[in-house]
Amino acid sequence: MSESTNLREPHAQLVMAHGWLLRGRIWQPLQQQLEPQWSCWAPDLPGFGSAQRPPGLSPTLPAYGRWLAQEAKQRAAGVPLVLLGHSLGGSVVLHAAALLGDQLQGIVLLGCGGGVYQRRPFARLRQVGCALSWFQGDRRAARGLLLNSTQRRAVAGLPKLVSQLAMPSLWIGGGNDQVMQPVYVRHLAGYAPDHQIEVLPGAGHLPMRDQPAALAEVLIPWLQRLASPRS
């Protein structure tokens, strides 16, 4: 009876931030692996999917971090939080983390790494990305976030954000990820005071969609350790 009751009572509210030009539903296969034990909320970030960007919300990582922190607090209503971020959404999570205080139990970063500015690759990424953003509902939000996240200052500032994390972090890379290779995930994760790194063999850049069961096998034990009383 008690075990059944525990399964109906989420340990924490999981808030999932998607990557660039994606939308919240990319998390649905993983959500199916986690619910009902874990309550999941995967919104469309403002300007992506069906979510409109408020006029006062600048298309920058700090602004989106503030938005995510505010929405997560409201959604959780006092329940402990765990933030999950994929790719660009991981950078948003890093900006939100410092604003949530003790309510934030941990963060999970998927396909998120870097911290080393590379001029030519980033220039090509901006060129291709700005062309693709024509197909995005809010072109200013898409282009603004891409340009902001690939500027030298933003890239160089990631290690400092990571080094200031006051909660445990789980970093997950895909063994076959050609967008964010595991070496870059390991590099950025190394700045975190309390971190764990996992690489999913054979996974690409979207493990929450393509390998949700394998991802859940890594994620659930880590979440359970967060929820367990510490000695």
Side-chain angles (χ1 to χ4, degrees):
M1 180 69 72
S2 60
E3 180 178 355
S4 175
T5 301
N6 288 338
L7 289 176
R8 292 196 298 268
E9 296 177 357
H11 302 295
Q13 172 70 61
L14 308 187
V15 177
M16 302 169 164
H18 61 77
W20 190 67
L21 287 189
L22 298 173
R23 58 189 307 175
R25 66 186 182 190
I26 195 74
W27 295 97
Q28 286 179 355
L30 178 62
Q31 288 178 258
Q32 292 172 1
Q33 299 286 325
L34 300 175
E35 293 173 335
Q37 183 175 4
W38 301 92
S39 175
C40 303
W41 181 53
D44 290 346
L45 296 178
F48 296 85
S50 61
Q52 298 296 314
R53 180 174 61 88
L57 180 61
S58 301
T60 66
L61 291 174
Y64 270 64
R66 289 190 295 271
W67 177 90
L68 184 64
Q70 292 168 0
E71 294 296 318
K73 282 184 178 180
Q74 182 176 356
R75 181 80 179 187
V79 172
L81 283 162
V82 175
L83 300 184
L84 292 80
H86 169 251
S87 196
L88 180 72
S91 297
V92 174
V93 162
L94 288 173
H95 281 82
L99 306 175
L100 290 169
D102 293 339
Q103 188 176 2
L104 184 60
Q105 286 192 333
I107 64 172
V108 180
L109 294 308
L110 287 79
C112 179
V116 179
Y117 184 79
Q118 302 179 70
R119 184 175 62 84
R120 289 184 179 178
F122 284 165
R124 290 196 295 270
L125 177 61
R126 287 192 291 267
Q127 183 178 15
V128 173
C130 287
L132 288 175
S133 67
W134 282 94
F135 301 100
Q136 173 56 286
D138 188 331
R139 186 175 177 227
R140 183 168 181 265
R143 293 190 61 183
L145 281 174
L146 176 66
L147 295 175
N148 177 257
S149 64
T150 56
Q151 295 301 315
R152 185 183 297 273
R153 174 183 289 185
V155 174
L158 284 177
K160 182 178 180 180
L161 279 177
V162 173
S163 70
Q164 295 173 341
L165 291 174
M167 71 293 299
S169 58
L170 173 63
W171 301 72
I172 301 175
N176 291 342
D177 191 341
Q178 300 302 309
V179 177
M180 184 60 67
Q181 297 175 10
V183 63
Y184 298 114
V185 175
R186 292 183 184 277
H187 173 80
L188 189 57
Y191 290 94
D194 181 2
H195 71 275
Q196 177 180 332
I197 303 173
E198 299 287 345
V199 176
L200 297 179
H205 193 56
L206 298 172
M208 73 288 282
R209 184 194 66 184
D210 301 331
Q211 293 196 18
L215 179 55
E217 286 183 5
V218 170
L219 182 57
I220 290 175
W222 186 83
L223 290 172
Q224 290 173 335
R225 287 194 294 273
L226 282 186
S228 299
R230 297 188 178 184
S231 57

